Structure formats: structure tokens, C-alpha cells
Amino acid sequence: MFPSRIRQPFRLASAKLFTRRLSAWANVPQAPPDKILGLNILYQLDTNPNKIDLGVGAYRTDKGEPWIMPSIRMAEEILAKTETDKEYAPILGSPSFIDEVQRLLFNHDTSGYQLLADGRVVTAQGISGTGSLRVLSEFLAKFNPVCNAILPNPTWANHIAILQESGIVTSKYRYYDYKTNGLDIDGLIEDLQSADPRTVALFHLCCHNPTGVDATLEQWDQIIRVISERKLIPLLDMAYQGFESGDPIRDLRVLSKFNDAVTRGMIPTYLLAQSFAKNMGLYGERVGTLSIVCADSKEAEKVRSQLARVVRPMYSSPPTHGSKLATIVLGNTKVYRQWLKDVKKMVTRLNTMRTLLYDKLTIEYSSPVQWDHLLSQKGMFAYTGLNAEQVTKLRERKSVYMTSDGRISLAGITSGNVDYLAKSIDEVTRDEDWAGETSSKSVTEERANQ
Amino acid sequence: MSGFYSSNIPQLPPDPLFGIKARFALDTHPNKVDLGVGAYRDENGKPWILPSVRLAENLLQHSADFNHEYLPITGLKSLTEEAAKVILGDESRAIKEKRVVSIQSLSGTGSLHLAAKLIALFFKPADGTTESPVIYISDPSWANHIQVFETCGLKTARYPYLDAEKKVIRINEYVKTIEEAPRGSVFLLHATAHNPTGIDPTPEQWKIVLKAISDNGHLPLFDCAYQGFTTGSLSEDAWALRHAIDTEGYKFPGVLVCQSFAKNCGMYGERVGAFHVILPVHDEALNSAVLSQLSKVIRSEISNPPGYGAKIVSLILTTPELKKQWEQDLITMSSRIFGMRKALVAELERLGTPGSWKHIVEQKGMFSFTGLTPEQTDKLAEDYGIYMTRNGRASIAGLNGGNVKYVAKGIDGVVRKH
């Protein structure tokens, strides 16, 4: 009795204080957790010893561990011996880093070489792929009178946020055909053809995320023709260079088509965001670049000055450690050769897991489901075709973690867990009475409506 | 071919600070001196990787779990937690009462940008208006401040700060501006070593300013890029900021703190910083909401912050021997700079350079607001190859035994001629 009477007036006073001083922050809502990264938190809390993390796209060894590439270790050693300072990089990144990246991206085809030689390409360091896309988006929102963008359906969820937060209105073009588990090329072309001139059209240059479905080289010719006819502005995202064929140079084939299109006068420009997060394993060091193809070197200078204007008030200048490593990898012949080997090794393991999963599902477990799409998809991910309900069951019953769209990161598969994974997927898909045509149709309808 | 972007893209001039660096690099003058960008130089005019940083890097590179994996969106937890303690104090009541929301940022600029985003999205003056508050910035201030806030759609205004002639703070006009600012404005305060003037309020002046800010319902935003540089002591340099946060008499709606490790840890290009939101009462749901909204901003801008520099600073702050070494490094840097202030003034007085130069010794931190006019600084660059910003701000860290007499000669020359 006595204590509560004392407590009450204190509580009232503090409540008043609370309301008055916090009213300035009254309208801060809880933002939903990022889906992909939120999944990782759930995984960390799971105590099942058989748990499998097929969420985040970071490479893992067959032991399920992070991998520092030998070439990166070499670069770290060289840097430790040669680094004299940790000075600020210029606003748009260090010239030596930019030079090396331009050589990597543009010098391997005649047109790219020409564009570089003519001073038409502005390349700047960005905060990995995300930061590079964001700077490009901010630039586009400022200077492109039509602030609309079309993106493949589906695409990496963050693409939408990056563009929208820059003030660009986004919509989708048809991309993944849920019936064939392949590319809906007709729908894609149709949707591009009905876009207004100067609409920004975003493309994944290789290893589409999340589907792993890419256009063929012939289909790319078609796409570029439509871009040219409809005067669309290509925004190219290359986060997985090297993951398609195992060879980063070979994976530049689509980019070189765009270079050709520019030098032939078919398209006046394109914007490119690329990242070394995955292909150099530099993830958290945030190394990437943005490039804009301009009419001539004069325009390139103008554009460069405007890009600096975007970066300076956001973060002044980019982080240097990762870019110093990348500069060494690209510029030192011995390290570069090792890097090519490292990428090949990494991609080979991913493709081995892909094949292993396929074989176990189809042969060992005689899955009634059609799994061919697993083999035709490319890159770090596989788009299984599992629906949200199945994904949830896998997580809750089997502690197998993947994003709700059924995308799995092959990096999370090891020779040690692939059997458990195949078995779990098989169980969950049999659960749905998947075997009949009726069932599979209803599932694809469901997917198409997502 | 007509330019695709050309029709409405003007060529912009280079950034005033990065522009100086570029011009300096191209200058072929044999005795050129760079007193532009605020980066510490050693006695030989060379960039200085702090001994504590070298030790930390060595430890880091050889540690079994060193990798390049993604950090969480909010950054390296050990960094943000330790960073909060460094700036707010180990015994900070705000931390103990769980009223501090901390997030890793791209150094100081990135932190200010997050502050701008948070204010633009969510801070509404208590009187219920829906308009975003005005950001009051000192006159003069760091060249990039205005852009940071205006790019996020916020209006900025200036508060009188420096009396250029007397080289003191215009305290009465400063307070008057605080009193006349619309209720719920934001006041950007330099926690220590004001950039560019090097003149900080005295403790009494701080109390007057903070009381006025509190009485008028404004939000203080501390920009802290030089903790440890002013006196060599982390706690002394954080006095004003901690006083604002710890004094119960103030009724701020919150306190925002932008913290950079660029200078005091020599992390410059590694981009290590933190943004702290100090809320007046403990509300777990609000803490979580604020962190989630900041995460949302970060996700669509950079996804997650860079790891390497954050790990170095975290190691320094969590390893007692490294932290001790760091504290020593801060004394090394701040005392060398102070020594150079004295040397420059001594030489100017020896030359009999017209004018009074005592202010150079009284000013604090990395910079000196010399009092040179824009025309004089132009001539200094042209005739002597000595570079500083056109407002007369010189980075004293760029002086050393080898060039201080030359710089005094140059200043003497332009003052007498122009």
C-alpha cells in the first residue's frame, strides 16, 4: 500500500516527460527487417546441427567456411609491405584503381578499347555494387527527364529500393517464365517495346539474381535492337563476372555487345555498375565501380564533375583498403594469374554442387519433379521453383534456410550436406502431391501471381 | 554526335578541398607546401600511419578469423559500442540507461549524411509542424556541411560565430540567433577544434549556448572529427558534448553525434565513423525503430559499411595495450601541431610581419584561421607554392621543421605586398 502510493506520482511525472520530449520522434515506425539478411539472423539462432544456410550470396568452401582467395592473400602481403599511407582517395576513387578496372572491363574487345581511347568512358569507384547503382540512380534522377525505370521480374529486391529512394519510379518487364523455368523472351521484348523513350532499363549482364536464367547471345542482340529502337537507357548490373563460365574475361561477352552497339551508333550510352564483392571475395570491403559511356571526352568531364557532386555530400570519398587490393590483383601479373585460377576453382565447386544436387534429386531420390532448370541456370544461385509454403516447411521442419522465392545459394551446399538437402527438398515436394500435372500448374499460377 | 547528357549537365568546379590537393599535386614549385586538406603529417611532411594502427593491423592480418565477409548493415558491433564509450565516456549514463542508438558510418561525412536523413525523415519540432527543421550551421564552417544537409532536402541557415577581426566568438549574436530560430531547429555544433577557425567556446560560453538551445526546444547535433587532437586527451576534448548529454538540466529532444576516426586514428581513406542518436528517455521500441530506419537508409545506399578500418579501430579500442598506444599517438600528434603553431608565430614575429599573429597559437586543433584574405592565399600559392583554402584556413599539421620558416616567409611576403 505504502510503496505504491509513493511510486504513482513518480510514474505520472515521468510519463509526462516521456510524451513531451519524445513527441519529436513520435512518428518513427519500425522498418521491416531486410528479408535476405533477416534470414541469416534466424539461421544463427537455430540450434539444429543439420541446419543449412542457403541465404546470403557469399562463397563458402566445401567445409562451409569463408574463403580468402590465395590471390587476395598475396595482394594483402604485397600491400602490407608497400602501403605508405591511408590517405583519402579522391572523391571518385584512386586513378590507379580506376585505370586497372577500365583495362579489365573495356580493353578486351575492340569497341570497348575504342571507347576508352576516345575518352568516352567515365569510371568511378563506388561502394561495391549497391553504392555504384545508387550513385548512378541519383545521377539519372537528376539529369534524365523521364525518371522511370523498368526492371526484370523478378530481380534483386534491393534494386527497387535503390532506384525508388533516388526518386525513380520503377516497374517490371517480363523476364522469368515460371512455366518453362526459362527466359520469357517474347514477354521481355514486348515489354521493352512498350516502354517510353528514355526509360531506364536495368539488365543483369550475367548470372541473373535470383533466377540464374540469362539471355543467349542471340537474344541479347534482339534486346539491344529494341533498346536502340525505343531509345531506352541501359543500366547494366554486373555483380557476378566470372560466375557464368568460370572466366571473368569470357563473361564480358555481353558487355562487349553493348560496347559494339555504342561504337556503331545504335545506342548513345549505357551505365554500368560492377562489383568485386563476389569474384574477388572482397564482400565487406565494398569494392566496385560505376561507369557511364558519354558522347566524347568533353561530356565525360562534365559527367565526372556531376558524379563527384553526388558522392561528396554522401560520404566524401570511397574506402581504400579493398580497392588497393583489387588494384594489385589486376595490375600484378602473378597475382592476376592466381586470381583467374581462384575464380575458376570457386565456380567449379559451385557447379559441382549444382550437378550433385540435381543427380541426388533425380537419380537417388527419384524426384517426380522436373529439375532440369537447375542445370541450365548460371551463377551462385539456383531458382528451385519451390513455393513460399515449401520454403517455410524446409526452414521449420528441416532447418534449411532459403529466401521465400525459392532461391538457394549454391555456396551453402557442401559434399557433406547435399544429401540432407536433396532428401529434404524431395520430402517437402512430395508433400504437395507434386507428381500430377494439375498440381504443378496450380503452383506455377501461384508463382506467376507473386 | 550531340551529347546524350550534355543538354542539361553543367560542368561543375572541383570540390574546394579536394581541388587544392589536385592543384598541389600538379605544382612543380621545388618548395611547395600543402596546408590544404586536413590530414596529419609527421616531422618530415609524410603521412603518418599511427603506431597503434600498425600494431592493430599486424594483429588483425595474422588473426585466425580475419576475413572480408560482409558486416551487418549497422556495422561492426564492437566498433559502434566502443566508439560510443570513447565519445560519451566509459561511465556514460546515457549508455547505461540504454538511450543511445549507434550505427557505423562512412566516416564523418557518412555520419552527417545519416543525421540529415534521420532529421529529414523523422524529426519534427515538438509544436506539431510537418515541415522539416532548419539546420543552423556556424559561419564559417567546414566547406561540405551545407551540401550534406541541402542534398537531403533540408534548409540551412547560419549562426554568427567568428568575429574575423578580433578572432573571438560573437557570443551575443550567436545566442540571439538561437533565441530567434524557429522552435525545434537543429544546431550543428563542432564538438572540439572548430573547423576552420580553431576557436572553441569556453566552458562558460558552451553553457550559455547549450542553455539557449535547450530553452528554445532545439536539437543539438555535434560534429566530432577531432576528438583527441585539441588537447591530446579524449575526455577533455569531449567535455562539451558530454556536458550537453549528461547534464539533467537540459531538456533537448535528443542529441545527435557524428563521430569520425579519420583524423584521430589516421583512418582517412578507410572511412571509419559512427552516428549516435541519444534519446532523452529509454524506450526500447523507439531505439529499435530508429535503428531500423537508419538501416533502411543504409541498405539502399551502400548495403553495409566497409570492414577493414572498422576492425582496426575496434581492435585498438578493445585491446588495452593498443588503446594506451593510441592515447600516446594522440599526444604525439597534438603536441607536434602545437609546437608548429609556436614555431610559425615565433618566425612571423622574428620577421616582423605586419599584423598580430598570436591567434595562431590560441587556436586549437589541426587548423589555423590565419586571417589571410582570398587574394593573399591565391598569391601564396602562385608565388610560393604554399596551398591553403581561400578562407585563409591552414592545416598546421602540414608544417614541420623543414618548411615552417619558408611558410612564414611566404605569409610575410603576401601580407606585405597585398
Side-chain angles (χ1 to χ4, degrees):
Chain A
M1 195 71 170
F2 187 70
S4 67
R5 257 203 333 231
I6 297 293
R7 250 180 260 139
Q8 237 179 9
F10 180 77
R11 221 185 295 141
L12 269 175
S14 64
K16 271 201 196 126
L17 172 73
F18 183 105
T19 325
R20 181 165 61 78
R21 289 175 70 189
L22 279 189
S23 58
W25 307 102
N27 61 335
V28 184
Q30 179 75 26
D34 176 271
K35 282 207 188 115
I36 298 175
L37 301 169
L39 193 66
N40 187 253
I41 294 173
L42 287 177
Y43 172 82
Q44 298 299 336
L45 296 170
D46 192 325
T47 52
N48 186 339
N50 293 322
K51 65 181 181 179
I52 305 178
D53 179 6
L54 302 172
V56 183
Y59 180 75
R60 294 284 176 265
T61 63
D62 197 54
K63 291 202 180 80
E65 284 162 359
W67 187 50
I68 301 189
M69 294 179 168
S71 51
I72 295 297
R73 283 203 194 278
M74 285 166 77
E76 286 276 17
E77 270 171 45
I78 293 171
L79 185 61
K81 290 197 194 98
T82 57
E83 189 180 50
T84 52
D85 61 67
K86 292 190 180 295
E87 293 293 284
Y88 292 116
I91 299 175
L92 297 178
S94 92
S96 52
F97 170 68
I98 290 168
D99 281 345
E100 291 297 345
V101 178
Q102 283 192 328
R103 275 194 326 131
L104 172 73
L105 299 178
F106 298 101
N107 267 3
H108 292 276
D109 70 270
T110 340
S111 298
Y113 184 89
Q114 193 60 53
L115 291 173
L116 263 194
D118 293 344
R120 291 179 63 178
V121 186
V122 181
T123 302
Q125 185 180 345
I127 313 284
S128 207
T130 305
S132 301
L133 282 164
R134 183 57 183 260
V135 172
L136 289 173
S137 301
E138 294 283 341
F139 173 83
L140 282 167
K142 248 196 202 170
F143 294 111
N144 189 25
V146 175
C147 267
N148 290 325
I150 46 177
L151 290 70
N153 185 12
T155 192
W156 180 47
N158 208 19
H159 275 148
I160 299 164
I162 293 167
L163 286 157
Q164 286 184 351
E165 291 296 322
S166 305
I168 297 175
V169 175
T170 65
S171 57
K172 295 274 183 74
Y173 58 82
R174 279 169 285 175
Y175 190 81
Y176 186 72
D177 187 336
Y178 292 92
K179 292 194 196 73
T180 63
N181 289 314
L183 181 67
D184 178 3
I185 185 65
D186 293 333
L188 193 164
I189 298 294
E190 238 181 82
D191 288 348
L192 290 186
Q193 270 166 345
S194 58
D196 290 328
R198 292 188 84 108
T199 300
V200 174
L202 183 139
F203 299 98
H204 303 220
L205 279 185
C206 68
C207 305
H208 179 272
N209 177 7
T211 68
V213 168
D214 292 334
T216 63
L217 291 175
E218 293 69 38
Q219 288 169 332
W220 274 113
D221 288 334
Q222 251 188 301
I223 292 168
I224 291 175
R225 263 200 304 277
V226 179
I227 291 171
S228 172
E229 280 158 17
R230 293 303 296 163
K231 300 198 191 320
L232 307 178
I233 303 175
L235 174 59
L236 310 174
D237 187 359
M238 187 162 67
Y240 297 97
Q241 181 189 1
F243 283 81
E244 184 189 337
S245 67
D247 177 357
I249 305 306
R250 187 172 152 82
D251 287 0
L252 291 170
R253 291 187 304 170
V254 175
L255 184 64
S256 68
K257 280 190 178 293
F258 276 91
N259 291 332
D260 280 340
V262 174
T263 53
R264 280 191 282 135
M266 277 182 75
I267 61 176
T269 183
Y270 66 76
L271 302 96
L272 169 71
Q274 71 74 236
S275 163
F276 291 111
K278 280 99 175 159
N279 62 17
M280 283 193 186
L282 287 175
Y283 309 107
E285 308 303 349
R286 319 312 291 126
V287 198
T289 61
L290 51 131
S291 296
I292 302 182
V293 176
C294 303
D296 50 37
S297 58
K298 257 186 80 187
E299 183 176 73
E301 273 321 299
K302 284 190 188 178
V303 167
R304 190 175 283 117
S305 74
Q306 290 290 347
L307 289 174
R309 182 64 179 80
V310 172
V311 170
R312 179 49 158 158
M314 268 182 90
Y315 57 86
S316 280
S317 63
T320 49
H321 188 74
S323 59
K324 285 177 179 178
L325 294 175
T327 308
I328 294 170
V329 170
L330 297 175
N332 179 311
T333 314
K334 201 164 158 225
V335 184
Y336 180 74
R337 286 202 190 116
Q338 182 61 48
W339 177 55
L340 296 179
K341 285 198 198 130
D342 295 340
V343 173
K344 188 94 188 110
K345 182 174 172 184
M346 183 172 54
V347 176
T348 302
R349 189 186 99 68
L350 294 174
N351 287 332
T352 304
M353 291 301 109
R354 195 187 272 286
T355 317
L356 212 47
L357 179 63
Y358 174 84
D359 287 346
K360 280 196 178 279
L361 281 167
T362 50
I363 302 166
E364 213 170 305
Y365 291 101
S366 307
S367 171
V369 177
Q370 186 66 258
W371 292 108
D372 286 358
H373 53 282
L374 287 184
L375 293 182
S376 58
Q377 289 163 4
K378 300 251 188 312
M380 197 183 260
F381 304 109
Y383 216 44
T384 55
L386 295 166
N387 62 37
E389 205 187 310
Q390 291 165 327
V391 168
T392 305
K393 277 189 190 161
L394 277 168
R395 185 177 66 247
E396 289 174 354
R397 291 197 207 157
K398 299 288 180 183
S399 294
V400 170
Y401 287 74
M402 65 183 73
T403 47
S404 59
D405 58 357
R407 183 197 81 167
I408 57 174
S409 170
L410 298 171
I413 307 178
T414 67
S415 50
N417 67 23
V418 63
D419 186 66
Y420 177 78
L421 176 61
K423 193 148 163 255
S424 307
I425 292 176
D426 184 54
E427 271 184 44
V428 157
T429 50
R430 283 181 197 273
D431 238 15
E432 290 287 302
D433 191 31
W434 188 270
E437 224 211 335
T438 351
S439 327
S440 57
K441 205 189 270 172
S442 68
V443 168
T444 52
E445 265 167 19
E446 194 188 306
R447 304 296 333 253
N449 290 333
Q450 264 178 19
Chain B
M1 184 196 303
S2 76
F4 186 76
Y5 305 100
S6 284
S7 53
N8 57 340
I9 294 192
Q11 173 85 37
L12 288 177
D15 177 85
L17 292 171
F18 282 92
I20 293 184
K21 207 169 170 196
R23 285 196 339 266
F24 174 81
L26 295 170
D27 192 327
T28 51
H29 199 292
N31 298 320
K32 64 179 182 177
V33 182
D34 182 5
L35 302 177
V37 174
Y40 181 78
R41 295 285 177 268
D42 66 10
E43 200 21 60
N44 301 308
K46 296 272 179 284
W48 192 55
I49 299 183
L50 276 60
S52 49
V53 169
R54 284 203 188 278
L55 288 168
E57 254 192 306
N58 200 32
L59 267 177
L60 178 65
Q61 293 260 353
H62 292 108
S63 84
D65 52 8
F66 174 54
N67 59 40
H68 300 289
E69 293 294 294
Y70 290 119
L71 288 184
I73 300 177
T74 51
L76 187 66
K77 196 143 185 263
S78 57
L79 171 74
T80 50
E81 282 179 352
E82 292 300 319
K85 285 198 264 172
V86 162
I87 200 160
L88 300 178
D90 284 325
E91 301 305 312
S92 161
R93 228 171 12 97
I95 295 177
K96 291 202 166 95
E97 292 171 4
K98 299 199 204 297
R99 295 187 282 113
V100 181
V101 177
S102 302
I103 202 161
Q104 188 178 331
S105 67
L106 288 166
S107 207
T109 306
S111 185
L112 287 162
H113 172 72
L114 288 174
K117 281 289 197 188
L118 185 70
I119 292 166
L121 287 168
F122 297 114
F123 180 67
K124 299 289 178 262
D127 64 1
T129 170
T130 48
E131 254 199 59
S132 284
V134 176
I135 316 297
Y136 280 79
I137 296 170
S138 67
D139 181 10
S141 193
W142 179 46
N144 201 22
H145 272 145
I146 294 176
Q147 259 191 102
V148 168
F149 293 96
E150 292 195 344
T151 307
C152 294
L154 293 165
K155 293 204 191 79
T156 63
R158 313 306 293 271
Y159 60 83
Y161 190 75
L162 178 73
D163 179 327
E165 227 193 278
K166 301 205 193 86
K167 300 187 175 59
V168 292
I169 297 177
R170 295 152 66 183
I171 188 68
N172 293 327
E173 297 166 60
Y174 184 174
V175 172
K176 187 150 174 283
T177 307
I178 296 173
E179 288 166 350
E180 291 174 355
R183 198 168 181 81
S185 297
V186 178
F187 274 80
L188 176 58
L189 310 167
H190 297 227
T192 186
H194 183 272
N195 176 4
T197 68
I199 299 172
D200 290 334
T202 63
E204 285 60 47
Q205 287 175 327
W206 269 119
K207 287 175 184 169
I208 294 169
V209 163
L210 290 168
K211 181 169 187 300
I213 291 175
S214 172
D215 288 347
N216 290 278
H218 303 315
L219 177 71
L221 195 176
F222 283 95
D223 183 0
C224 190
Y226 300 99
Q227 188 188 5
F229 255 92
T230 310
T231 63
S233 156
L234 290 164
S235 52
E236 254 189 79
D237 290 354
W239 178 84
L241 185 156
R242 292 181 190 179
H243 167 80
I245 291 167
D246 294 340
T247 306
E248 283 196 53
Y250 298 129
K251 303 292 178 214
F252 306 121
V255 178
L256 304 181
V257 176
C258 297
Q259 177 183 26
S260 167
F261 288 100
K263 283 97 174 163
N264 61 15
C265 265
M267 283 287 105
Y268 306 107
E270 303 283 359
R271 320 308 290 129
V272 189
F275 175 52
H276 308 280
V277 180
I278 293 99
L279 294 157
V281 289
H282 172 62
D283 176 358
E284 203 51 56
L286 180 58
N287 287 356
S288 175
V290 168
L291 193 66
S292 75
Q293 291 295 341
L294 290 171
S295 300
K296 187 171 168 220
V297 170
I298 289 169
R299 180 56 162 154
S300 75
E301 291 186 355
I302 64 168
S303 273
N304 41 73
Y308 193 70
K311 289 172 187 175
I312 293 175
V313 177
S314 166
L315 257 180
I316 291 174
L317 298 180
T318 55
T319 315
E321 308 85 63
L322 294 184
K323 187 148 186 236
K324 259 183 86 182
Q325 179 62 51
W326 181 46
E327 285 163 357
Q328 185 53 51
D329 297 339
L330 289 170
I331 293 172
T332 303
M333 289 191 287
S334 58
S335 54
R336 197 189 82 70
I337 292 175
F338 185 58
M340 283 301 112
R341 287 182 187 281
K342 289 193 282 190
L344 180 61
V345 172
E347 186 61 16
L348 287 168
E349 286 175 351
R350 193 185 71 80
L351 292 171
T353 310
S356 158
W357 301 101
K358 253 195 320 115
H359 56 279
I360 291 179
V361 173
E362 287 161 2
Q363 288 159 358
K364 303 215 178 358
M366 199 178 263
F367 303 109
S368 169
F369 220 37
T370 56
L372 294 177
T373 65
E375 296 70 38
Q376 287 170 334
T377 65
D378 288 342
K379 282 296 164 190
L380 206 50
E382 262 174 60
D383 299 343
Y384 296 89
I386 298 170
Y387 287 78
M388 63 177 70
T389 53
R390 290 194 90 231
N391 56 5
R393 184 197 83 169
S395 175
I396 303 298
L399 289 177
N400 54 62
N403 65 20
V404 66
K405 289 205 163 133
Y406 179 71
V407 170
K409 180 160 162 251
I411 293 175
D412 184 81
V414 301
V415 165
R416 284 182 198 276
K417 258 204 237 141
H418 309 280

